[in-house]
């Protein structure tokens, strides 16, 4: 199934902020990436879908969605951009994240991970007198570090369209 790209007109079924062709151009402008160049169109489409989903789920954008019917977080009103476009920085961030996700998982989906990134080794709850005890593995042990992957470059690209000081939900 072909990638459905949001162009600012509230495209029905939109699943990406950027097309494969435009992502190819954006990645080439940034020096290229062998993994991306060697990926099939289908693989690139999958990564762009996942990158768009990640952006929408993990970042708090300023403004508000233009329509209750839109699939994605952009287009938006209440920003410095017209409410019928997808800003180039959002497209760029999608492409950068799609390339990064070829080598790194967007989410480290590991049960029992603490907010500090350490894997929980044991939890003990005592109910007669509320008492909770949590023991963590040392970083790097028990299946390695399970912290959330951080995409600093993406946050920097998006900083002008994010709410608050740290508009990352993760």
């Amino acid at each position: 199934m072909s990638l459905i790209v949001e162009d600012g007109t509230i495209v029905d079924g939109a699943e990406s902020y950027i097309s494969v062709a435009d992502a190819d151009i954006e990645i080439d402008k940034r020096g290229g990436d062998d993994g991306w160049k060697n990926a099939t169109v289908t693989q690139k489409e999958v990564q762009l879908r996942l990158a768009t989903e990640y952006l929408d789920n993990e970042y708090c954008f300023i403004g508000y969605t233009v329509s209750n019917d839109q699939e994605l977080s952009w287009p938006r009103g209440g920003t410095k951009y017209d409410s019928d476009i997808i800003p180039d920085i959002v497209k760029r961030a999608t492409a950068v994240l799609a390339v990064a996700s070829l080598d790194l998982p967007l989410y480290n989906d590991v049960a029992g991970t603490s907010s500090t990134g350490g894997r929980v080794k044991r939890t003990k709850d005592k109910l007669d007198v509320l008492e909770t005890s949590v023991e963590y593995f040392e970083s790097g042990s028990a299946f390695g570090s399970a912290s959330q992957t951080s995409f600093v470059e993406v946050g920097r690209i998006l900083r002008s369209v994010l709410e608050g000081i740290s508009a990352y939900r993760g």
Side-chain angles (χ1 to χ4, degrees):
M1 181 173 174
S2 294
L3 186 68
I4 303 170
V5 180
E6 177 59 67
D7 62 7
T9 62
I10 320 293
V11 175
D12 189 38
E15 51 194 4
S16 180
Y17 291 121
I18 189 169
S19 68
V20 169
D22 289 341
D24 288 344
I25 292 167
E26 187 62 47
I27 298 310
D28 283 344
K29 283 189 216 174
R30 300 175 71 80
D33 181 86
D34 288 339
W36 187 257
K37 286 179 185 174
N38 294 328
T40 66
V41 170
T42 300
Q43 290 168 326
K44 291 177 181 181
E45 288 177 347
V46 167
Q47 296 312 120
L48 290 169
R49 283 182 189 102
L50 293 172
T52 300
E53 182 179 289
Y54 183 91
L55 291 176
D56 282 359
N57 289 327
E58 298 301 322
Y59 292 92
C60 297
F61 297 109
I62 59 173
Y64 50 88
T65 55
V66 175
S67 168
N68 289 335
D69 296 327
Q70 70 189 73
E71 302 287 334
L72 305 176
S73 293
W74 289 88
R76 297 182 77 76
T79 73
K80 66 181 181 178
Y81 299 97
D82 291 339
S83 62
D84 62 349
I85 68 161
I86 307 303
D88 288 341
I89 60 174
V90 173
K91 294 176 186 179
R92 183 176 309 121
T94 306
V96 167
L97 192 57
V99 169
S101 68
L102 285 170
D103 297 323
L104 296 169
L106 293 177
Y107 296 99
N108 288 317
D109 196 15
V110 178
T113 302
S114 75
S115 61
T116 61
R119 285 195 25 89
V120 175
K121 181 177 179 181
R122 177 182 19 234
T123 300
K124 175 185 174 186
D125 292 320
K126 186 175 179 183
L127 297 178
D128 59 334
V129 176
L130 183 59
E131 176 184 311
T132 299
S133 172
V134 180
E135 182 180 350
Y136 296 98
F137 287 102
E138 290 182 31
S139 180
S141 64
F143 308 107
S145 176
S147 63
Q148 176 61 44
T149 305
S150 177
F151 299 98
V152 175
E153 182 180 12
V154 173
R156 288 184 179 151
I157 291 168
L158 292 172
R159 71 178 169 252
S160 69
V161 295
L162 298 177
E163 283 187 354
I165 295 170
S166 175
Y168 180 68
R169 295 181 192 180

